[in-house]
Structures are given as structure tokens and as C-alpha cells.
Amino acid sequence: MKELNVAVIGAGFMGKAHSAAYAAMPMFFWPPPAIPIRKVIVDVTDALAEEARQRFGFQESATDWRETVNRSDIDLVDIVTPNDSHAEIAIAAAKAGKHIICEKPLARTGGEARLMLDAVERAGVIHMIAFNYRRTPAVALARRYLEDGRIGEILEFRVSHLQDWSADPKTPRTWRHQKAIAGSGTLGDIGTHAIDIARYLVGEIKAVNALVKNYIPSRPLGEESDLCGPVDVDDGAVTLVKFAGGCIGSIEATRNAHGRNNYLSFELHGTKGSLSFNYERRDELQVIFSDDPIDARGFRTVYTGPAHPYGKSYWPVPALGIGFLDTKIFECFDFISAIVRGDQPSPNFYDGYRISRIVDAILASGETGGWQEIAG
Ligand SMILES: NC(=O)c1ccc[n+]([C@@H]2O[C@H](COP(=O)([O-])OP(=O)(O)OC[C@H]3O[C@@H](n4cnc5c(N)ncnc54)[C@H](O)[C@@H]3O)[C@@H](O)[C@H]2O)c1
């Protein structure tokens, strides 16, 4: 069976999720398109990299990503570092001819993302951006209903990604609160997931008009520290959206929503029905068709399972519980399949680039207070 040697760069939260997905993917998707071999894991110190090697089941650990991406025995580079290093690593990996999956946001700005897109296109490698929420079976089912015409023409769409981990002003500053590392705040962090869902279900975004706020301009530098450092990124944004296809809608993102743990939700109204979803109840898609009997009007709950996207390879009964890791396993399967077939998966660096341009436009609109067309 074909094997692909994987180098994962970064051994934090996403390093763990992606490593677990490489290990688990062939257990569900058998025979797998290829077996991902956990070859090298890279982090900034020997101690971090070696601990990750043992914990995540890699053959080797390393501290120099440049040396690793240039190794002739590496087929696939997986970038799960903070946002400021995505471009440098991806461009070097593309030059070395490696297939690349990169975590979102693709880059800190649209300009940086463009350089990454140019590099992978020039090198002719397979590339993917890790917007895994669209691979939640209920979200993929919503897209299937739309493609099959069962919801009709899309009129209105609203999507929100709400979290509260950053709502407490005493929560210490992290790299996610610093523009130089993260590029933007809530928008790049979770707003990009909402934008990806919007483009996945509705299509390209043409123009935006946004209110963008920073609520907590400085934070402690550590759990025990009395010192504070500046927070120079957005905490929350509310955006009106014009889609290229004519649909109107809104996108909201905040990390200051007490009580909302990971509330990625959308509602879509079409000429033949409506769809509603909330990631905190991710096995369920709410749906109504306009020709439902008049005495049974209202949303019904469809519990995803074997009859739905990714379901055949998964559990034999609906509603056993899809989790975050499952969406990473589906992402891994789709990426490895694309490499073996030799065609580009979706979403790829082009989508990451477009989404970075949309974030830039939302931030610009927040400054100017007017509509911003999305730059090409
Ligand atoms: N898809 C999702 O749902 C999702 C969720 C969380 C994070 N992310 C994205 O994943 C990326 C990583 O986020 P995270 O939460 O895992 O961060 P993290 O801070 O938990 O981990 C980052 C790791 O990268 C290491 N690192 C930093 N610079 C490095 C370098 N030059 N070489 C090697 N290792 C380096 C750090 O030491 C750390 O171990 C970010 O771009 C983030 O936006 C995506």
C-alpha cells in the first residue's frame, strides 16, 4: 500500500489534532488512499519536539523546520505553527516540491497569502487550508441539500462564530492577541471559519460593511503577572455582506460572548426552504422544506449518520457523536485522497487567499465605516 511521509511543524493544539488524525484516518477509511507515516515532528526546542514525538507517535523529532522541509524523504508538510510563520514555511516547502496543508488563517494579510498561493501554483504541489468545520457532516449535508436544489435560490444567510475564552480581561495575552504574530484578532482566528462556511454554502463574497471593535486593549502577560501588554487586534466584528450571486447576509465573530463556548451557527433562507445549524449540537441539521404539509410546519431535526457525508466509513448508527477530531480525520482523508489523485482539494490556498482578502476588507471597512469591495 502507498505510504506518504509526513512532517508536522508545530506541536501545540493543532499539532495534536492533526497527528491524531493521521493515526486514525486509515482505521475509518479502509482501504485508505495512502497510509500517512508520522515521520518527523518539529517544535522550537529539543524538549518540546521530543515530548511530542513520544506523545503523538512520530519516528523522529527536530527543531529546524528548514532542514525538515528540504528532506528528500518527506512527501507532505503540515503547518500548524502560529500565523506569522505560515508564509515562510509554506513557500520553502513549495520550493522543495512538498504537498502542503496549512492551518487557517492562511497568512496575516491578503498580500502575504498571495505570495503563498503563487509559490504553490509555481511549484505544482497539492495544497489545502485546514477549514475543518465545513467537514462536519451536518454542514456538508446542508451543502448537499443546496446542490440538489432542495432549498431553491438562496435569499439570505447569516453566520456567527462566538466564543468566550477571551471575555475575561484577566485572561493572559497570547500570540492570538498580537497583530505582529496573528495578523488580526477574532477575525483571523474564528471569523475566518465563519467566512469559509459562507463561501462554501453560498458562494463568493463581493463586498462587506463592518463594525470592528477592540474591547480589552491590554492584558496580563501571564497567569501570575502584574504586568500588562497591549492588545492591538479586534475582539469582535459585525459585518453585512453582499454575495456575488445576489444573496444578502451577515457574518459575526467575537471571543467575548460569555456563555458561548464554540457557537458556530448559521441560518439560511431559500425560496424552497431553510436550514439552521449550531456546532454546539453538531450531529443535527435543522431543515424545513416549503412544501412540507401546512399542519406540520416547522424545522425538523436530521441526525447525521451513515446516510450522510462521510457517514458510510464511520459509525453504523446516527447521532453517536461527531467531534472536532472527526472533522480533522475527514480533512486528512480528503487531503491524502487529493494527493493520490493529483488534483487540488477544497478548500485550498486559493480559498485561504480569498478569505484573507475578505478579512482585510472587513478591517478596512471597520476603519472607514463604508462598503469595501473585495480586492482581486
Ligand atoms: N482549524 C482550527 O479549528 C484551528 C484551531 C486552533 C488553531 N488553529 C490554527 O492553527 C495554528 C496553530 O495554532 P495552535 O492553537 O496549535 O497554537 P499553539 O500555540 O497551541 O501551538 C503552536 C506550536 O507551534 C510551535 N512553534 C512556533 N513557532 C515554531 C517554529 N518556527 N517551528 C516549529 N514550531 C514552532 C510552538 O512552540 C507551539 O508548540 C494557528 O494558525 C491557528 O490559527 C486552527
Side-chain angles (χ1 to χ4, degrees), residues 8-18 42-45 48 62-66 79-86 88-89 102-106 130-133 161 163 174-176 182 188-190 192-193 262 324 327-328 331:
V8 170
I9 320 293
F13 174 16
M14 281 307 102
K16 175 162 72 176
H18 288 215
V42 183
D43 211 301
V44 289
T45 65
L48 283 171
T63 54
D64 185 342
W65 64 259
R66 283 182 184 81
I79 304 170
V80 278
T81 53
N83 310 345
D84 58 336
S85 49
H86 291 184
E88 207 183 359
I89 300 172
C102 182
E103 263 301 343
K104 44 54 55 183
L106 189 59
F131 283 116
N132 48 299
Y133 287 111
H161 202 160
Q163 295 183 340
T174 70
W175 65 260
R176 286 177 165 82
D189 190 20
I190 55 175
T192 48
H193 283 302
N262 193 21
F324 183 83
T327 66
K328 286 292 179 193
E331 177 177 89

